Amino acid sequence: MTVILDGKSLANKIIENIKINTESLSKKPKLAVILVGDDSASQIYVKNKQKKAEYVGFDSIVIPLPSDVTEENILEHIYILNEDENINAILVQLPLPKGINQKKILEAIDPIKDVDGFTSYNFGRLALGYMPYAFPCTPKGIVKLLDAYNIEIESKNIIVIGRSNIVGKPLSLIFQQRNATVTMANSYTKNLKELTKNADIIVSAVGKPNFIDGSFVKQGAVVVDVGINRTEVGILGDVDFPSVYEKASFITPVPGGVGPMTIAELLENTYELFKIQRSLILQ
Ligand code: NAP
């Protein structure tokens, strides 16, 4: 029997827990989101994040900037947010419009407010096996979802398809630290199917609908679908669900799998950064 990894209900539990913990705080955590341009998907994501932040009792602010904003202007906003004691977490919604140096923008965030864990300080600490201030939300959510279903990571053959800085790369580092044997695939990988068929856990973070079908999956493997692909028939993951469901022992749905976990971890990271900053003030 294939088990569906229900990210939505686990995310709801995490969110309810954060809500309860926030009620007892005299000061509320505050999340700031910088939204550049008018990409409709980004606008929906940001609205959703803000709605959830308000639901758990956080304060939040969205700073909308036009797509022709200068790099200097975005940086000025970040410097102000870095200095503002009332702001605990800063998120720059990606992707940024073409022509803006994403690396420079993300690097400007104070690591202690870097809620996505994308600065080289936090990412570097993650890579070295030290505690970052925050782990990137999607990888953290994926690992938490696997743990919630007692899916063993140690000693497993895991393939992570996609090597982005926001999903594939940090996820592969976390899996390695959990003593898995990790293969990372990218668009240059040859014989992908041979590699996936040897994997106990397959994570697809590619961004192509129906990229992984049942023929890529060994019987009993765990399949995590990170993809969010907007198509004419609605939002699809990377995984051809019906054929993979036949083979997998566990599988994430799209929607309702990794997506909700990402938002839950954003809120958890905001809460944790708030706690770290408060503890430093009280020292
Ligand atoms: P990305 O920056 O879009 O890059 C895609 C990755 O897939 C690249 O590393 C690329 O390799 C690799 N790739 C492309 N074609 C491939 C092929 N034929 N074989 C193997 N690898 C291939 O990645 P991302 O930002 O991580 O996004 C991936 C997907 O996840 C998107 O659909 C995105 O919307 C979704 N996403 C979902 C969540 C969530 O919360 N559920 C969060 C983040 C992203 P190269 O590096 O060689 O180009």
Side-chain angles (χ1 to χ4, degrees):
M1 249 272 291
T2 307
V3 175
I4 292 183
L5 295 167
D6 186 352
K8 193 171 174 191
S9 74
L10 179 59
N12 284 341
K13 277 188 205 150
I14 294 168
I15 288 170
E16 287 308 318
N17 207 22
I18 297 169
K19 188 171 189 279
I20 290 165
N21 288 337
T22 304
E23 276 164 14
S24 59
L25 297 173
S26 54
K27 192 175 185 301
K28 305 299 178 202
K30 187 166 182 178
L31 169 70
V33 180
I34 295 183
L35 173 61
V36 186
D38 48 16
D39 178 70
S40 59
S42 292
Q43 283 173 346
I44 295 168
Y45 290 143
V46 168
K47 204 169 265 178
N48 203 7
K49 287 168 184 173
Q50 196 179 24
K51 218 168 79 188
K52 287 279 194 296
E54 278 163 14
Y55 174 77
V56 298
F58 294 173
D59 291 328
S60 68
I61 177 179
V62 175
I63 301 170
L65 299 171
S67 49
D68 60 356
V69 68
T70 62
E71 224 162 77
E72 287 66 33
N73 196 240
I74 305 175
L75 290 172
E76 273 165 29
H77 281 282
I78 292 176
Y79 297 144
I80 292 168
L81 295 170
N82 282 345
E83 290 302 316
D84 186 343
E85 277 181 16
N86 291 314
I87 300 290
N88 306 107
I90 304 170
L91 182 154
V92 176
Q93 183 64 39
L94 301 178
L96 289 167
K98 283 198 176 71
I100 292 179
N101 185 337
Q102 179 174 305
K103 207 177 357 173
K104 206 165 156 190
I105 300 297
L106 295 179
E107 278 299 275
I109 299 172
D110 185 336
I112 208 168
K113 297 187 178 186
D114 170 24
V115 71
D116 272 326
F118 291 162
T119 57
S120 56
Y121 179 87
N122 284 319
F123 203 100
R125 287 186 69 86
L126 166 63
L128 290 166
Y130 309 156
M131 272 301 279
Y133 286 122
F135 285 89
C137 302
T138 304
K140 189 179 174 196
I142 290 169
V143 172
K144 211 173 256 190
L145 188 56
L146 297 176
D147 285 344
Y149 285 82
N150 295 317
I151 294 167
E152 197 74 52
I153 291 173
E154 187 166 292
S155 302
K156 296 296 174 191
N157 283 330
I158 304 183
I159 184 160
V160 178
I161 314 170
R163 55 174 163 181
S164 72
N165 289 343
I166 64 174
V167 185
K169 219 176 275 173
L171 182 60
S172 71
L173 291 167
I174 298 172
F175 281 147
Q176 285 176 66
Q177 279 151 20
R178 294 280 299 266
N179 300 325
T181 302
V182 184
T183 303
M184 280 194 76
N186 56 58
S187 64
Y188 297 82
T189 301
K190 292 197 173 118
N191 305 325
L192 181 65
K193 199 179 275 193
E194 276 172 30
L195 299 171
T196 57
K197 285 191 89 163
N198 188 40
D200 304 306
I201 301 176
I202 301 170
V203 180
S204 183
V206 171
K208 292 183 179 164
N210 300 325
F211 182 70
I212 297 293
D213 66 23
S215 68
F216 282 74
V217 179
K218 92 172 167 190
Q219 197 68 41
V222 176
V223 179
V224 176
D225 188 353
V226 186
I228 300 178
N229 304 296
R230 285 162 206 284
T231 72
E232 281 174 3
V233 293
I235 291 180
L236 296 177
D238 288 352
V239 171
D240 172 47
F241 193 87
S243 65
V244 174
Y245 182 87
E246 292 296 312
K247 294 266 193 78
S249 54
F250 295 86
I251 183 169
T252 59
V254 176
V258 175
M261 290 301 295
T262 298
I263 295 201
E265 291 313 318
L266 169 71
L267 300 174
E268 192 175 77
N269 281 357
T270 302
Y271 182 83
E272 285 170 359
L273 291 179
F274 169 85
K275 284 286 195 187
I276 293 168
Q277 290 160 30
R278 296 302 294 166
S279 71
L280 290 178
I281 290 170
L282 297 175
Q283 259 174 17

